[in-house]
Amino acid sequence: MITKALNGATILDTKATATNNNILVVLPSLESVTELQPRMDDILKCPCDGIIVTAAGSAESAYDFHSRYFAPKLGVDEDPVCGSAHCALAHYWSLKMNKCDFLAYQASRRSGTLEIHLDKEKQRVLLRGKALTVMEGHVLV
């Protein structure tokens, strides 16, 4: 089902995330992440809210890993730069790379770079990067 949703992409690993009901899918390369053309209708049929795709950075890359996040069930076909996805990615790549500090690139059309620190002791992920305000407002309670 995931392979079909990802249009036949080669999958190296899959994991359910601890929070947010997402599936994390590891692909072989940056190119496989950037060139991916997911099938949104099939992602809607998957037993999760969203699919995070990722690949480790190459030796030539400044980035530790690359990613994209698709969540059509939540009304977002592709999130431009997703903080919650990077919290799950920090945990996954920390186990694989045996480190806690990362430079990550989300390869959406708008794209973005994130500096990530995983604080294992406090069980927190700290994210830094440039942000774009997309909405402002007030809530009356």
Side-chain angles (χ1 to χ4, degrees):
M1 181 176 287
I2 300 296
T3 301
K4 184 177 180 188
L6 297 181
N7 215 0
T10 300
I11 295 173
L12 302 180
D13 194 12
T14 59
K15 300 285 183 200
T17 62
T19 59
N20 297 334
N21 193 34
N22 290 315
I23 295 176
L24 189 152
V25 179
V26 181
L27 302 180
S29 66
L30 165 62
E31 293 76 26
S32 60
V33 171
T34 58
E35 294 170 6
L36 180 68
Q37 295 182 352
R39 300 169 57 151
M40 294 302 159
D41 289 342
D42 289 317
I43 291 177
L44 286 167
K45 297 172 188 172
C46 291
C48 61
D49 289 338
I51 297 177
I52 305 164
V53 296
T54 187
S58 66
E60 302 83 39
S61 174
Y63 300 103
D64 295 299
F65 61 87
H66 307 85
S67 66
R68 291 173 70 190
Y69 178 57
F70 307 100
K73 283 184 185 175
L74 303 177
V76 181
D77 282 354
E78 182 170 6
D79 194 319
V81 182
C82 184
S84 63
H86 281 85
C87 291
L89 288 162
H91 175 73
Y92 178 84
W93 288 114
S94 177
L95 295 172
K96 295 292 181 185
M97 297 180 181
N98 196 31
K99 61 191 237 176
C100 293
D101 293 294
F102 303 96
L103 186 62
Y105 179 75
Q106 185 150 339
S108 65
R109 185 170 29 164
R110 191 177 85 201
S111 75
T113 297
L114 296 97
E115 296 174 33
I116 303 170
H117 173 73
L118 173 62
D119 186 332
K120 290 183 179 183
E121 184 178 308
K122 293 181 182 176
Q123 297 183 0
R124 296 282 182 256
V125 176
L126 306 175
L127 304 173
R128 288 193 338 182
K130 293 182 181 177
L132 175 68
T133 301
V134 294
M135 184 182 301
E136 290 184 28
H138 300 276
V139 177
L140 298 175
V141 180

mmCIF file with all atom_site columns, all heavy atoms in Angstrom, residues 112-129:
data_model
loop_
_atom_site.group_PDB
_atom_site.id
_atom_site.type_symbol
_atom_site.label_atom_id
_atom_site.label_alt_id
_atom_site.label_comp_id
_atom_site.label_asym_id
_atom_site.label_entity_id
_atom_site.label_seq_id
_atom_site.pdbx_PDB_ins_code
_atom_site.Cartn_x
_atom_site.Cartn_y
_atom_site.Cartn_z
_atom_site.occupancy
_atom_site.B_iso_or_equiv
_atom_site.pdbx_formal_charge
_atom_site.auth_seq_id
_atom_site.auth_comp_id
_atom_site.auth_asym_id
_atom_site.auth_atom_id
_atom_site.pdbx_PDB_model_num
ATOM 1   N N   . GLY A 1 112 ? 13.042 24.254 2.676  1.00 0.00 ? 112 GLY A N   1
ATOM 2   C CA  . GLY A 1 112 ? 13.561 24.903 3.865  1.00 0.00 ? 112 GLY A CA  1
ATOM 3   C C   . GLY A 1 112 ? 14.670 24.108 4.514  1.00 0.00 ? 112 GLY A C   1
ATOM 4   O O   . GLY A 1 112 ? 14.751 22.887 4.368  1.00 0.00 ? 112 GLY A O   1
ATOM 5   N N   . THR A 1 113 ? 15.522 24.829 5.231  1.00 0.00 ? 113 THR A N   1
ATOM 6   C CA  . THR A 1 113 ? 16.631 24.235 5.959  1.00 0.00 ? 113 THR A CA  1
ATOM 7   C C   . THR A 1 113 ? 16.339 24.360 7.447  1.00 0.00 ? 113 THR A C   1
ATOM 8   O O   . THR A 1 113 ? 15.912 25.417 7.910  1.00 0.00 ? 113 THR A O   1
ATOM 9   C CB  . THR A 1 113 ? 17.948 24.964 5.611  1.00 0.00 ? 113 THR A CB  1
ATOM 10  O OG1 . THR A 1 113 ? 18.199 24.784 4.216  1.00 0.00 ? 113 THR A OG1 1
ATOM 11  C CG2 . THR A 1 113 ? 19.107 24.416 6.406  1.00 0.00 ? 113 THR A CG2 1
ATOM 12  N N   . LEU A 1 114 ? 16.587 23.280 8.179  1.00 0.00 ? 114 LEU A N   1
ATOM 13  C CA  . LEU A 1 114 ? 16.364 23.287 9.625  1.00 0.00 ? 114 LEU A CA  1
ATOM 14  C C   . LEU A 1 114 ? 17.622 22.843 10.344 1.00 0.00 ? 114 LEU A C   1
ATOM 15  O O   . LEU A 1 114 ? 18.275 21.883 9.930  1.00 0.00 ? 114 LEU A O   1
ATOM 16  C CB  . LEU A 1 114 ? 15.239 22.314 10.010 1.00 0.00 ? 114 LEU A CB  1
ATOM 17  C CG  . LEU A 1 114 ? 13.862 22.619 9.477  1.00 0.00 ? 114 LEU A CG  1
ATOM 18  C CD1 . LEU A 1 114 ? 13.606 21.819 8.225  1.00 0.00 ? 114 LEU A CD1 1
ATOM 19  C CD2 . LEU A 1 114 ? 12.825 22.296 10.525 1.00 0.00 ? 114 LEU A CD2 1
ATOM 20  N N   . GLU A 1 115 ? 17.950 23.547 11.425 1.00 0.00 ? 115 GLU A N   1
ATOM 21  C CA  . GLU A 1 115 ? 18.966 23.097 12.363 1.00 0.00 ? 115 GLU A CA  1
ATOM 22  C C   . GLU A 1 115 ? 18.212 22.384 13.473 1.00 0.00 ? 115 GLU A C   1
ATOM 23  O O   . GLU A 1 115 ? 17.255 22.928 14.029 1.00 0.00 ? 115 GLU A O   1
ATOM 24  C CB  . GLU A 1 115 ? 19.734 24.287 12.932 1.00 0.00 ? 115 GLU A CB  1
ATOM 25  C CG  . GLU A 1 115 ? 20.525 25.041 11.896 1.00 0.00 ? 115 GLU A CG  1
ATOM 26  C CD  . GLU A 1 115 ? 21.145 26.302 12.470 1.00 0.00 ? 115 GLU A CD  1
ATOM 27  O OE1 . GLU A 1 115 ? 21.507 26.311 13.671 1.00 0.00 ? 115 GLU A OE1 1
ATOM 28  O OE2 . GLU A 1 115 ? 21.236 27.284 11.724 1.00 0.00 ? 115 GLU A OE2 1
ATOM 29  N N   . ILE A 1 116 ? 18.642 21.179 13.783 1.00 0.00 ? 116 ILE A N   1
ATOM 30  C CA  . ILE A 1 116 ? 17.901 20.334 14.725 1.00 0.00 ? 116 ILE A CA  1
ATOM 31  C C   . ILE A 1 116 ? 18.827 19.858 15.828 1.00 0.00 ? 116 ILE A C   1
ATOM 32  O O   . ILE A 1 116 ? 19.955 19.426 15.564 1.00 0.00 ? 116 ILE A O   1
ATOM 33  C CB  . ILE A 1 116 ? 17.306 19.104 13.996 1.00 0.00 ? 116 ILE A CB  1
ATOM 34  C CG1 . ILE A 1 116 ? 16.405 19.563 12.845 1.00 0.00 ? 116 ILE A CG1 1
ATOM 35  C CG2 . ILE A 1 116 ? 16.558 18.204 14.970 1.00 0.00 ? 116 ILE A CG2 1
ATOM 36  C CD1 . ILE A 1 116 ? 15.974 18.447 11.933 1.00 0.00 ? 116 ILE A CD1 1
ATOM 37  N N   . HIS A 1 117 ? 18.326 19.916 17.065 1.00 0.00 ? 117 HIS A N   1
ATOM 38  C CA  . HIS A 1 117 ? 19.046 19.341 18.201 1.00 0.00 ? 117 HIS A CA  1
ATOM 39  C C   . HIS A 1 117 ? 18.085 18.427 18.952 1.00 0.00 ? 117 HIS A C   1
ATOM 40  O O   . HIS A 1 117 ? 17.007 18.856 19.361 1.00 0.00 ? 117 HIS A O   1
ATOM 41  C CB  . HIS A 1 117 ? 19.580 20.416 19.149 1.00 0.00 ? 117 HIS A CB  1
ATOM 42  C CG  . HIS A 1 117 ? 20.170 19.839 20.395 1.00 0.00 ? 117 HIS A CG  1
ATOM 43  N ND1 . HIS A 1 117 ? 21.383 19.175 20.395 1.00 0.00 ? 117 HIS A ND1 1
ATOM 44  C CD2 . HIS A 1 117 ? 19.700 19.778 21.668 1.00 0.00 ? 117 HIS A CD2 1
ATOM 45  C CE1 . HIS A 1 117 ? 21.638 18.753 21.624 1.00 0.00 ? 117 HIS A CE1 1
ATOM 46  N NE2 . HIS A 1 117 ? 20.628 19.100 22.413 1.00 0.00 ? 117 HIS A NE2 1
ATOM 47  N N   . LEU A 1 118 ? 18.484 17.182 19.138 1.00 0.00 ? 118 LEU A N   1
ATOM 48  C CA  . LEU A 1 118 ? 17.715 16.226 19.918 1.00 0.00 ? 118 LEU A CA  1
ATOM 49  C C   . LEU A 1 118 ? 18.301 16.177 21.317 1.00 0.00 ? 118 LEU A C   1
ATOM 50  O O   . LEU A 1 118 ? 19.467 15.813 21.500 1.00 0.00 ? 118 LEU A O   1
ATOM 51  C CB  . LEU A 1 118 ? 17.776 14.836 19.282 1.00 0.00 ? 118 LEU A CB  1
ATOM 52  C CG  . LEU A 1 118 ? 17.144 13.691 20.067 1.00 0.00 ? 118 LEU A CG  1
ATOM 53  C CD1 . LEU A 1 118 ? 15.653 13.904 20.261 1.00 0.00 ? 118 LEU A CD1 1
ATOM 54  C CD2 . LEU A 1 118 ? 17.408 12.369 19.370 1.00 0.00 ? 118 LEU A CD2 1
ATOM 55  N N   . ASP A 1 119 ? 17.498 16.598 22.308 1.00 0.00 ? 119 ASP A N   1
ATOM 56  C CA  . ASP A 1 119 ? 17.901 16.544 23.713 1.00 0.00 ? 119 ASP A CA  1
ATOM 57  C C   . ASP A 1 119 ? 17.324 15.255 24.288 1.00 0.00 ? 119 ASP A C   1
ATOM 58  O O   . ASP A 1 119 ? 16.153 15.198 24.666 1.00 0.00 ? 119 ASP A O   1
ATOM 59  C CB  . ASP A 1 119 ? 17.372 17.767 24.462 1.00 0.00 ? 119 ASP A CB  1
ATOM 60  C CG  . ASP A 1 119 ? 17.861 17.850 25.895 1.00 0.00 ? 119 ASP A CG  1
ATOM 61  O OD1 . ASP A 1 119 ? 18.146 16.785 26.505 1.00 0.00 ? 119 ASP A OD1 1
ATOM 62  O OD2 . ASP A 1 119 ? 17.938 18.972 26.418 1.00 0.00 ? 119 ASP A OD2 1
ATOM 63  N N   . LYS A 1 120 ? 18.135 14.219 24.312 1.00 0.00 ? 120 LYS A N   1
ATOM 64  C CA  . LYS A 1 120 ? 17.657 12.907 24.766 1.00 0.00 ? 120 LYS A CA  1
ATOM 65  C C   . LYS A 1 120 ? 17.258 12.919 26.234 1.00 0.00 ? 120 LYS A C   1
ATOM 66  O O   . LYS A 1 120 ? 16.299 12.266 26.625 1.00 0.00 ? 120 LYS A O   1
ATOM 67  C CB  . LYS A 1 120 ? 18.728 11.843 24.516 1.00 0.00 ? 120 LYS A CB  1
ATOM 68  C CG  . LYS A 1 120 ? 18.927 11.532 23.051 1.00 0.00 ? 120 LYS A CG  1
ATOM 69  C CD  . LYS A 1 120 ? 19.932 10.423 22.851 1.00 0.00 ? 120 LYS A CD  1
ATOM 70  C CE  . LYS A 1 120 ? 20.097 10.111 21.383 1.00 0.00 ? 120 LYS A CE  1
ATOM 71  N NZ  . LYS A 1 120 ? 21.020 8.996  21.157 1.00 0.00 ? 120 LYS A NZ  1
ATOM 72  N N   . GLU A 1 121 ? 18.014 13.657 27.055 1.00 0.00 ? 121 GLU A N   1
ATOM 73  C CA  . GLU A 1 121 ? 17.732 13.699 28.489 1.00 0.00 ? 121 GLU A CA  1
ATOM 74  C C   . GLU A 1 121 ? 16.352 14.298 28.767 1.00 0.00 ? 121 GLU A C   1
ATOM 75  O O   . GLU A 1 121 ? 15.581 13.767 29.566 1.00 0.00 ? 121 GLU A O   1
ATOM 76  C CB  . GLU A 1 121 ? 18.810 14.504 29.206 1.00 0.00 ? 121 GLU A CB  1
ATOM 77  C CG  . GLU A 1 121 ? 18.658 14.512 30.720 1.00 0.00 ? 121 GLU A CG  1
ATOM 78  C CD  . GLU A 1 121 ? 19.794 15.286 31.382 1.00 0.00 ? 121 GLU A CD  1
ATOM 79  O OE1 . GLU A 1 121 ? 20.967 14.983 31.083 1.00 0.00 ? 121 GLU A OE1 1
ATOM 80  O OE2 . GLU A 1 121 ? 19.489 16.189 32.170 1.00 0.00 ? 121 GLU A OE2 1
ATOM 81  N N   . LYS A 1 122 ? 16.032 15.396 28.104 1.00 0.00 ? 122 LYS A N   1
ATOM 82  C CA  . LYS A 1 122 ? 14.743 16.066 28.317 1.00 0.00 ? 122 LYS A CA  1
ATOM 83  C C   . LYS A 1 122 ? 13.662 15.569 27.358 1.00 0.00 ? 122 LYS A C   1
ATOM 84  O O   . LYS A 1 122 ? 12.523 16.011 27.430 1.00 0.00 ? 122 LYS A O   1
ATOM 85  C CB  . LYS A 1 122 ? 14.901 17.578 28.163 1.00 0.00 ? 122 LYS A CB  1
ATOM 86  C CG  . LYS A 1 122 ? 15.756 18.200 29.242 1.00 0.00 ? 122 LYS A CG  1
ATOM 87  C CD  . LYS A 1 122 ? 15.844 19.692 29.055 1.00 0.00 ? 122 LYS A CD  1
ATOM 88  C CE  . LYS A 1 122 ? 16.748 20.305 30.116 1.00 0.00 ? 122 LYS A CE  1
ATOM 89  N NZ  . LYS A 1 122 ? 16.921 21.763 29.900 1.00 0.00 ? 122 LYS A NZ  1
ATOM 90  N N   . GLN A 1 123 ? 14.033 14.679 26.466 1.00 0.00 ? 123 GLN A N   1
ATOM 91  C CA  . GLN A 1 123 ? 13.120 14.136 25.456 1.00 0.00 ? 123 GLN A CA  1
ATOM 92  C C   . GLN A 1 123 ? 12.450 15.257 24.668 1.00 0.00 ? 123 GLN A C   1
ATOM 93  O O   . GLN A 1 123 ? 11.229 15.311 24.521 1.00 0.00 ? 123 GLN A O   1
ATOM 94  C CB  . GLN A 1 123 ? 12.091 13.209 26.091 1.00 0.00 ? 123 GLN A CB  1
ATOM 95  C CG  . GLN A 1 123 ? 12.711 11.987 26.721 1.00 0.00 ? 123 GLN A CG  1
ATOM 96  C CD  . GLN A 1 123 ? 11.687 11.039 27.286 1.00 0.00 ? 123 GLN A CD  1
ATOM 97  O OE1 . GLN A 1 123 ? 10.486 11.258 27.228 1.00 0.00 ? 123 GLN A OE1 1
ATOM 98  N NE2 . GLN A 1 123 ? 12.166 9.937  27.822 1.00 0.00 ? 123 GLN A NE2 1
ATOM 99  N N   . ARG A 1 124 ? 13.278 16.160 24.147 1.00 0.00 ? 124 ARG A N   1
ATOM 100 C CA  . ARG A 1 124 ? 12.800 17.301 23.383 1.00 0.00 ? 124 ARG A CA  1
ATOM 101 C C   . ARG A 1 124 ? 13.620 17.450 22.105 1.00 0.00 ? 124 ARG A C   1
ATOM 102 O O   . ARG A 1 124 ? 14.796 17.094 22.061 1.00 0.00 ? 124 ARG A O   1
ATOM 103 C CB  . ARG A 1 124 ? 12.933 18.604 24.176 1.00 0.00 ? 124 ARG A CB  1
ATOM 104 C CG  . ARG A 1 124 ? 12.099 18.660 25.423 1.00 0.00 ? 124 ARG A CG  1
ATOM 105 C CD  . ARG A 1 124 ? 10.643 18.951 25.067 1.00 0.00 ? 124 ARG A CD  1
ATOM 106 N NE  . ARG A 1 124 ? 9.826  19.067 26.240 1.00 0.00 ? 124 ARG A NE  1
ATOM 107 C CZ  . ARG A 1 124 ? 8.981  18.129 26.667 1.00 0.00 ? 124 ARG A CZ  1
ATOM 108 N NH1 . ARG A 1 124 ? 8.882  16.999 26.023 1.00 0.00 ? 124 ARG A NH1 1
ATOM 109 N NH2 . ARG A 1 124 ? 8.234  18.312 27.732 1.00 0.00 ? 124 ARG A NH2 1
ATOM 110 N N   . VAL A 1 125 ? 12.989 18.009 21.094 1.00 0.00 ? 125 VAL A N   1
ATOM 111 C CA  . VAL A 1 125 ? 13.682 18.340 19.854 1.00 0.00 ? 125 VAL A CA  1
ATOM 112 C C   . VAL A 1 125 ? 13.590 19.850 19.680 1.00 0.00 ? 125 VAL A C   1
ATOM 113 O O   . VAL A 1 125 ? 12.510 20.429 19.766 1.00 0.00 ? 125 VAL A O   1
ATOM 114 C CB  . VAL A 1 125 ? 13.052 17.627 18.644 1.00 0.00 ? 125 VAL A CB  1
ATOM 115 C CG1 . VAL A 1 125 ? 13.721 18.057 17.347 1.00 0.00 ? 125 VAL A CG1 1
ATOM 116 C CG2 . VAL A 1 125 ? 13.128 16.117 18.805 1.00 0.00 ? 125 VAL A CG2 1
ATOM 117 N N   . LEU A 1 126 ? 14.738 20.473 19.459 1.00 0.00 ? 126 LEU A N   1
ATOM 118 C CA  . LEU A 1 126 ? 14.794 21.910 19.232 1.00 0.00 ? 126 LEU A CA  1
ATOM 119 C C   . LEU A 1 126 ? 15.036 22.159 17.749 1.00 0.00 ? 126 LEU A C   1
ATOM 120 O O   . LEU A 1 126 ? 15.954 21.580 17.161 1.00 0.00 ? 126 LEU A O   1
ATOM 121 C CB  . LEU A 1 126 ? 15.908 22.533 20.066 1.00 0.00 ? 126 LEU A CB  1
ATOM 122 C CG  . LEU A 1 126 ? 15.858 22.224 21.569 1.00 0.00 ? 126 LEU A CG  1
ATOM 123 C CD1 . LEU A 1 126 ? 17.083 22.793 22.270 1.00 0.00 ? 126 LEU A CD1 1
ATOM 124 C CD2 . LEU A 1 126 ? 14.586 22.759 22.188 1.00 0.00 ? 126 LEU A CD2 1
ATOM 125 N N   . LEU A 1 127 ? 14.204 23.005 17.155 1.00 0.00 ? 127 LEU A N   1
ATOM 126 C CA  . LEU A 1 127 ? 14.282 23.307 15.731 1.00 0.00 ? 127 LEU A CA  1
ATOM 127 C C   . LEU A 1 127 ? 14.602 24.783 15.540 1.00 0.00 ? 127 LEU A C   1
ATOM 128 O O   . LEU A 1 127 ? 14.047 25.628 16.237 1.00 0.00 ? 127 LEU A O   1
ATOM 129 C CB  . LEU A 1 127 ? 12.950 23.018 15.038 1.00 0.00 ? 127 LEU A CB  1
ATOM 130 C CG  . LEU A 1 127 ? 12.385 21.606 15.174 1.00 0.00 ? 127 LEU A CG  1
ATOM 131 C CD1 . LEU A 1 127 ? 10.991 21.554 14.574 1.00 0.00 ? 127 LEU A CD1 1
ATOM 132 C CD2 . LEU A 1 127 ? 13.286 20.603 14.499 1.00 0.00 ? 127 LEU A CD2 1
ATOM 133 N N   . ARG A 1 128 ? 15.483 25.067 14.586 1.00 0.00 ? 128 ARG A N   1
ATOM 134 C CA  . ARG A 1 128 ? 15.786 26.449 14.229 1.00 0.00 ? 128 ARG A CA  1
ATOM 135 C C   . ARG A 1 128 ? 15.824 26.567 12.716 1.00 0.00 ? 128 ARG A C   1
ATOM 136 O O   . ARG A 1 128 ? 16.245 25.644 12.020 1.00 0.00 ? 128 ARG A O   1
ATOM 137 C CB  . ARG A 1 128 ? 17.143 26.883 14.782 1.00 0.00 ? 128 ARG A CB  1
ATOM 138 C CG  . ARG A 1 128 ? 17.132 27.078 16.257 1.00 0.00 ? 128 ARG A CG  1
ATOM 139 C CD  . ARG A 1 128 ? 18.332 27.783 16.800 1.00 0.00 ? 128 ARG A CD  1
ATOM 140 N NE  . ARG A 1 128 ? 19.517 27.732 15.957 1.00 0.00 ? 128 ARG A NE  1
ATOM 141 C CZ  . ARG A 1 128 ? 20.677 28.258 16.297 1.00 0.00 ? 128 ARG A CZ  1
ATOM 142 N NH1 . ARG A 1 128 ? 20.802 28.862 17.443 1.00 0.00 ? 128 ARG A NH1 1
ATOM 143 N NH2 . ARG A 1 128 ? 21.717 28.183 15.500 1.00 0.00 ? 128 ARG A NH2 1
ATOM 144 N N   . GLY A 1 129 ? 15.396 27.712 12.241 1.00 0.00 ? 129 GLY A N   1
ATOM 145 C CA  . GLY A 1 129 ? 15.430 27.993 10.814 1.00 0.00 ? 129 GLY A CA  1
ATOM 146 C C   . GLY A 1 129 ? 14.616 29.234 10.529 1.00 0.00 ? 129 GLY A C   1
ATOM 147 O O   . GLY A 1 129 ? 14.041 29.835 11.435 1.00 0.00 ? 129 GLY A O   1
#
